Amino acid sequence: MAVLAAAILCTGLASCSDKDHEESTLNPAQQEVARTKRHDTALLLCTFGSTYNESLSVYDDIIGDFKAAFPDVDIYMSFTSRTCINRVQASTGIQRYELDQWLKAIGNAGYTRVAVQSLHVIPGEEYLSLMNTDIKKYFMIQWFPNIDVLKGANLLADDEDTEAVADILYKHYSSQLADRHSIVLLMGHGNPDENYNANHKYADVQKALQAKAENKNIFVGTVDYGDMLFWPKEVEENPADRITDAAIVRSQYPDCIYSQVMQYCDNNGLQPGDVKVYIAPFMSIAGDHAHNDLWGLEALAEGSDINQVDLSTNKFSWRERLEKIGFQVQGEFESHPIAQAGADHGIAEGCGIRALGSYPAIRQIWVKHLREQWDANAWENGKDYQ
């Protein structure tokens, strides 16, 4: 009896262990796809992602736009940033599965066609990795070569897109731009690796905007691309080599935001204290970069001393450094409520920071990119590459 009991116990433990292992390796996206599948075609929207609550309504609006344009398609959304995926559930309670989990779940669900739409702004590192590695190499060639795939381009895919985005933004800020005592600054993300020539897209947008603004008082910088930072990138290896001389910055780094706004003041006979500055993210949503690298909300919540701000280090936000110089940053315009500056991962309602995805007309550019490919019947599969 003792031997029999031991045998039964061991068998039971083995069965539980096998079951636990099976559940732990189950693709969580597979259950979501099985629950959602209604059609033969799936659409996977791919964005860099964010852990901020402000992103929720923007992503909902984007999904709603694509549902309206493609009613006979099952729509899913994935983040390409692993960091955002790992943190988003804790901050928003929403599961954003790994891209490969979505792709395998969709491929195994019996879809005959899969459309993939990028929600990236420029064709930079994240976009190229998505399209060339995740979609082409893995999904199309290695995993599901028999499924037809359609790929929709990023926001600024061509000159027509650049002009359209510039027109939308110019109309939105037209009253501010009509006053030469005002400046509008837009912060894009950018690629730190200069080999990604997609960074020129930001300069193209600025050029298009300034062609519309008589005072040429709107500028586009980045948080991650050296030539278009607020101040030239600090030297991490040897802080003593950091550029601290403003004259050197203006002469050697004319594309930095600092150089451009100071040159604008010189050209117009203005002092920084004479100028109102309006700041906004040139990103799909208002996430961490918008809240902290642009607005410096964490510093604001902590009661930071503007006298301690150092222009030469990018650990300080654009707002802090602009105020240090003497500019009047318009905190009441399209900003985060000061009383909630310390909110962890933003707030779901009441934030006024306006990102690109907040504009219905800009969201329609992404929709247009997929519609153009759809109407052109530009489906392909892995067998074409093989």
Side-chain angles (χ1 to χ4, degrees), residues 319-358:
R319 174 193 60 81
E320 292 171 282
R321 287 185 281 180
L322 288 164
E323 291 180 348
K324 172 76 171 184
I325 296 167
F327 288 102
Q328 306 173 50
V329 179
Q330 301 305 289
E332 77 285 353
F333 179 82
E334 294 184 359
S335 64
H336 191 97
I338 301 302
Q340 300 187 60
D344 186 33
H345 291 286
I347 53 179
E349 297 180 356
C351 178
I353 300 176
R354 193 175 180 88
L356 296 177
S358 304

Side-chain angles (χ1 to χ4, degrees), residues 289-301 304 317-320:
H289 290 307
H291 284 75
N292 295 311
D293 295 305
L294 183 63
W295 278 101
L297 289 174
E298 287 182 358
L300 193 63
S304 61
S317 67
W318 284 21
R319 174 193 60 81
E320 292 171 282

